[in-house]
Amino acid sequence: MRTMLRQGLVVAAGLLLLGAVARADDEQEPGGEAERVETAPEVKAEDAAVAKDEDWLPGGFSGNAAVYTDYSFRGVSQTGKNMAGQWGIDYNHDSGVFLGLWGSSTNFGNTYLEQDFYGGYAGAIDDFAYKVSATFFYYPGDEQFNYWELGAFGSYDFGLASVSTGFIGSPDYFGTLDTGFYIPAGFAIPLPTVSCPFPNGEKCFDWAIDANGGYTHADRNIFADHHYFDWNAGVVFTLPFNVKLDFRYVDTDVKNVRDADARFVFGAKYLF
């Protein structure tokens, strides 16, 4: 176990120093908001919005619904490279505490659904944002895959770009692989806002380059080995009416596994 943790820390440091890949911000993230690494400005804006909410319950609710051409979980398709419907609802308190529920259709084993229940705490200090979370992954119809994950994440916003990393550990990864962990690290680069092409046109959309990747390790063989790397890169468009479009290339270093091959993934998400 100590050897595995040392391997994880070494890989995390290497990925962060290389500025490599995995902000896990706008890509499909298992665990919904639990594994979304926000920047400090995003955290502060969200806290301010929640503090102004005069709903019957302290804090605020938000939701999302999405359609993707493939549900890529850390580089591996969970839908046999077929389309996936996804949804989620989140509760955020202005103290930084959050709770949520997120789900996606799946197509492996005997299950048809991944349902994630999560909670944690998020905050920001100047340009540094941090988050800790716990997530329970539930797979109805094939409960052998059910498992817990605990995560810690950090990001830093340089203005021209933001970088992030984290560590996610599980005592029984994917319910069948014994102790395992995942290490994300990466960057996102916002591009200039595009204005609408007519007189007095307001903002049409924001867009950003988003590159992602990570390292997965487990005590038992995942495919033909105990570990693998995944990575992806793409462009995310934030449109009016709370719509996001995600165009992304996904790949891993796993050999001879169809669901881990290189592919393009497109998604559309509505936030409410």
Side-chain angles (χ1 to χ4, degrees):
M1 179 65 181
R2 291 181 179 176
T3 300
M4 187 175 69
L5 289 175
R6 282 198 298 269
Q7 290 175 336
L9 292 174
V10 169
V11 174
L15 287 173
L16 185 59
L17 289 173
L18 289 173
V21 274
R23 197 172 159 242
D25 187 347
D26 293 297
E27 67 160 340
Q28 296 163 279
E29 63 278 358
E33 293 295 308
E35 296 185 12
R36 181 179 184 274
V37 187
E38 298 171 308
T39 62
E42 288 175 323
V43 172
K44 293 173 182 176
E46 185 175 82
D47 288 347
V50 169
K52 290 181 180 179
D53 192 347
E54 297 181 358
D55 202 75
W56 61 275
L57 183 68
F61 286 91
S62 61
N64 61 85
V67 176
Y68 281 84
T69 58
D70 178 27
Y71 172 23
S72 176
F73 181 100
R74 298 168 188 169
V76 180
S77 176
Q78 306 296 288
T79 52
K81 295 186 177 180
N82 294 315
M83 294 187 67
Q86 302 180 345
W87 56 92
I89 186 168
D90 296 280
Y91 168 74
N92 292 276
H93 191 270
D94 56 6
S95 65
V97 173
F98 65 89
L99 298 169
L101 176 67
W102 185 88
S104 176
S105 57
T106 59
N107 184 19
F108 65 89
N110 295 315
T111 189
Y112 57 90
L113 174 69
E114 175 189 319
Q115 188 70 75
D116 303 342
F117 304 86
Y118 55 87
Y121 180 84
I125 303 173
D126 295 329
D127 294 320
F128 173 73
Y130 57 90
K131 176 178 287 187
V132 292
S133 66
T135 304
F136 179 68
F137 291 73
Y138 175 60
Y139 298 92
D142 217 337
E143 284 79 5
Q144 66 171 325
F145 295 117
N146 296 353
Y147 71 104
W148 280 94
E149 284 189 345
L150 301 176
F153 311 89
S155 69
Y156 193 87
D157 187 358
F158 291 95
L160 295 177
S162 59
V163 297
S164 66
T165 189
F167 186 92
I168 304 166
S170 173
D172 192 16
Y173 191 58
F174 241 94
T176 58
L177 301 176
D178 292 344
T179 303
F181 62 81
Y182 182 73
I183 301 173
F187 64 88
I189 304 173
L191 300 173
T193 296
V194 176
S195 298
C196 296
F198 48 79
N200 300 320
E202 297 182 357
K203 178 180 73 175
C204 266
F205 62 86
D206 291 317
W207 55 326
I209 296 172
D210 187 65
N212 304 269
Y215 173 76
T216 298
H217 185 101
D219 281 350
R220 291 180 179 268
N221 279 0
I222 303 171
F223 296 108
D225 207 337
H226 291 276
H227 56 83
Y228 73 94
F229 285 91
D230 71 272
W231 56 88
N232 64 74
V235 179
V236 179
F237 297 85
T238 302
L239 308 179
F241 309 110
N242 299 323
V243 173
K244 285 191 174 183
L245 302 180
D246 190 319
F247 299 85
R248 193 171 297 275
Y249 172 83
V250 180
D251 200 1
T252 74
D253 66 350
V254 178
K255 306 298 183 184
N256 302 317
V257 176
R258 178 180 179 275
D259 287 342
D261 286 347
R263 59 202 182 276
F264 287 95
V265 177
F266 168 72
K269 179 184 287 187
Y270 174 65
L271 309 173
F272 56 91

